[in-house]
Amino acid sequence: MDPNQPLATMASRAPRSTDTVYARLKQHILDNRYPPGAQILESEVAAELDASRTPVREAFVRLQQEGLLEIVPRHGVRISALSPDDMREIYEVLMSLEPTAVELLAARRPDRAELESLIASCDAMEAALAGEPDLQAWAAADEAFHLNLARLCGNKRLAAMIMQVWDQAHRARMFTLSLRPLPVRSTEEHRAVVEAILAGDVERARSIYHAHRKRGGNELTTIIERHGIQRL
């Protein structure tokens, strides 16, 4: 180590962990910085993220397991694209998994303090639609609601499966956000689910959520088909 080298310079050249590279690469994919169908090389990602190739390679493997990219031998990776059929399958999976998470959470009879993250998300969704609608703020609150609900269900494996599938659908939700009707009904359904959980009404909470997820999936796939979108 050169004692005359500035600490800031040495820190900037410190190797990045696989977790760090994975998180940044995943966010680039979800934010559409790497669009569907794009082919990127290991060396390009390593240079962009100021990382060595090993953590980049390991991050690629993890993201392939999550369905966000496909490793192409000797050609880097290809960012996965979603078809209308893919989206239909994703929502069928969510329609199966998420109501179970709601049921598990409601059965625990959590109090209002335990559901604070869900209540805050409902408040944020309602605030985003008040006055001039802020769809980006609404989408952020909606995502927080669903991911926190998964985390609160008490089953780590179920939560992990939900979050993995949710990530796969992220781009499609964001892409179609401005094409969908103003999400007033969806916001009301989120609030109704929370109230049913607080009331200890397991069956009602599950039923509302299942209907919410089914309606949302039908709405999204209808928009994709109506606009002739073949790839997301």
Side-chain angles (χ1 to χ4, degrees), residues 40-224:
I40 55 177
L41 299 175
E42 185 180 290
S43 57
E44 294 173 342
V45 175
E48 181 176 354
L49 301 184
D50 191 22
S52 65
R53 290 195 177 195
T54 298
V56 171
R57 194 175 305 123
E58 292 171 349
F60 281 170
V61 171
R62 288 172 64 178
L63 291 166
Q64 178 173 249
Q65 291 171 343
E66 294 180 11
L68 294 178
L69 56 77
E70 175 189 359
I71 297 174
V72 183
R74 299 183 299 280
H75 292 86
V77 298
R78 184 182 300 111
I79 306 303
S80 298
L82 295 175
S83 68
D85 285 341
D86 290 328
M87 286 306 304
R88 191 173 293 106
E89 288 181 0
I90 284 171
Y91 271 84
E92 286 172 353
V93 172
L94 288 175
M95 202 160 42
S96 175
L97 297 179
E98 287 187 307
T100 300
V102 170
E103 182 177 352
L104 290 173
L105 177 57
R108 291 211 332 263
R109 300 296 297 265
D111 60 21
R112 186 168 289 272
E114 291 178 86
L115 298 185
E116 181 54 41
S117 61
L118 301 184
I119 294 169
S121 292
C122 288
D123 292 343
M125 281 185 271
E126 290 166 358
L129 298 182
E132 185 67 26
D134 184 341
L135 292 179
Q136 293 296 325
W138 184 90
D142 174 62
E143 182 156 326
F145 180 94
H146 288 274
L147 297 185
N148 280 320
L149 190 148
R151 294 187 184 104
L152 288 168
C153 80
N155 185 318
K156 293 179 181 179
R157 288 177 175 81
L158 177 59
M161 287 189 288
I162 289 171
M163 287 187 274
Q164 179 175 327
V165 178
W166 183 265
D167 282 342
Q168 291 176 16
H170 176 88
R171 285 183 317 224
R173 291 195 310 275
M174 298 308 294
F175 184 84
T176 59
L177 188 60
S178 62
L179 302 176
R180 285 181 269 168
L182 203 63
V184 173
R185 183 173 176 183
S186 183
T187 302
E188 293 171 347
E189 290 167 348
H190 286 98
R191 181 72 75 179
V193 168
V194 172
E195 294 303 326
I197 293 173
L198 285 170
D201 193 334
V202 177
E203 185 54 41
R204 177 169 169 75
R206 180 186 176 94
S207 176
I208 293 172
Y209 198 95
H210 184 273
H212 164 72
R213 178 50 70 218
K214 182 176 183 179
R215 183 188 60 76
N218 289 341
E219 183 178 274
L220 184 61
T221 52
T222 297
I223 288 170
I224 291 171

